[in-house]
Amino acid sequence: MIKQELFAEAVEEVSRYFSFLSDMGCRGLDCSAGALEIIKDWGHVKEVHAETMGSIYDESKNCRRCKLSESRKHVVFGEGDPKNARLMFIGEGPGPEGNETGRPFTGEAGELLTKIIQAINLTREIVYICNAVKCMPSGERKFLPEEISACHVFLKRQIQVVKPDFICTLGSVSTAALLKTSRPIALLRGRFHDYRGIQVMPTYHPAFLVDNPEKKREVWEDMKQLMAAYRK
Ligand code: URA
């Protein structure tokens, strides 16, 4: 179509629009300051407010997605630096100490995790630590698949907020929850896997190391790889 035809078509369209306004009873255009103020933002997309860790936590405190909510004392949500952490540690779920304190990894396994973090020249305050499941089951039992999947929505959103470069999954529960695999941790550890563009290093759970100290050497190998990539 040549330029004149395009122009004529545009004029006709504008003319049709004014006729339509006239038919609707419009007798002029309101270009007052008030009208301009009202229409100034039309067509602009409002800023989308990103979710914060605080808002996810508030939601988790009232969670009734699974039966663990009936017996828990505290939701053990997570701690560390949600804004700047480049490395996130994800455990299994709270033990009795966490259920009492509301903090992840506070018992014997927690002490070992703190030492592991210090050994790679980081601190609990500058990484982010949480669990695949946020509430403790009553009695000594494993987490059920429905409890892990009910809680996954919180874990996913925590990862989205932190946006870490690296995740270290501790043990088979968090590794399976994130990587959607049932392969044993012994076959998954020792190399990076991908979770939505984030490098994931699975390793043995600190509680397992308490009972199997000879496995610490392998965890150290995993941490060395993690640190080399982190410092690159
Ligand atoms: N405490 C936690 O918070 N997570 C674990 O996986 C074990 C103990």
Side-chain angles (χ1 to χ4, degrees):
M1 211 185 278
I2 56 168
K3 275 188 190 155
Q4 287 94 323
E5 284 173 331
L6 280 173
F7 181 71
E9 208 170 79
V11 170
E12 207 174 301
E13 179 63 40
V14 172
S15 160
R16 271 201 300 270
Y17 178 59
F18 282 129
S19 298
F20 165 75
L21 290 179
S22 166
D23 290 347
M24 299 297 288
C26 178
R27 295 289 169 263
L29 295 175
D30 179 2
C31 293
S32 65
L36 292 177
E37 182 61 30
I38 290 168
I39 64 173
K40 130 171 150 302
D41 288 333
W42 287 6
H44 287 252
V45 177
K46 281 237 161 65
E47 194 181 314
V48 178
H49 287 285
E51 187 163 59
T52 65
M53 205 56 103
S55 63
I56 309 171
Y57 174 54
D58 288 344
E59 195 182 316
S60 76
K61 282 191 295 188
N62 302 315
C63 176
R64 295 276 178 270
R65 289 168 162 263
C66 78
K67 288 220 180 292
L68 296 183
S69 62
E70 292 167 14
S71 56
R72 72 171 175 235
K73 200 156 177 184
H74 283 107
V75 170
V76 179
F77 185 70
E79 65 181 30
D81 185 344
K83 289 211 173 98
N84 304 304
R86 291 183 58 215
L87 172 58
M88 196 163 166
F89 287 91
I90 307 176
E92 187 171 328
E97 298 87 356
N99 191 39
E100 287 300 320
T101 60
R103 295 183 55 212
F105 283 99
T106 42
E108 196 178 2
E111 276 174 31
L112 192 47
L113 177 62
T114 306
K115 282 186 186 153
I116 292 170
I117 294 171
Q118 286 166 348
I120 54 176
N121 290 322
L122 297 173
T123 63
R124 284 179 70 114
E125 290 72 31
I126 65 171
V127 299
Y128 191 80
I129 305 171
C130 66
N131 287 304
V133 184
K134 315 294 185 213
C135 304
M136 191 189 86
S138 55
E140 291 241 331
R141 68 158 174 86
K142 289 190 170 168
F143 291 99
L144 303 173
E146 58 266 32
E147 292 161 352
I148 298 165
S149 68
C151 225
H152 196 64
V153 61
F154 291 115
L155 179 61
K156 254 172 43 185
R157 288 159 66 191
Q158 284 177 297
I159 296 170
Q160 274 163 14
V161 168
V162 177
K163 294 189 203 73
D165 297 324
F166 303 95
I167 292 175
C168 178
T169 50
L170 302 162
S172 55
V173 168
S174 59
T175 304
L178 214 60
L179 301 180
K180 305 286 178 229
T181 173
S182 55
R183 298 188 79 198
I185 186 81
L187 299 182
L188 295 166
R189 58 149 293 276
R191 63 198 157 89
F192 284 110
H193 301 256
D194 176 74
Y195 172 79
R196 300 177 174 209
I198 301 167
Q199 297 196 69
V200 179
M201 175 62 77
T203 197
Y204 292 121
H205 193 286
F208 177 73
L209 297 181
V210 172
D211 297 331
N212 302 273
E214 75 283 0
K215 293 288 180 190
K216 284 183 186 172
R217 201 180 46 78
E218 283 166 73
V219 171
W220 182 233
E221 292 304 320
D222 300 341
M223 291 307 108
K224 280 199 299 195
Q225 275 198 61
L226 198 47
M227 263 312 91
Y230 186 98
R231 306 261 180 240
K232 232 187 229 169

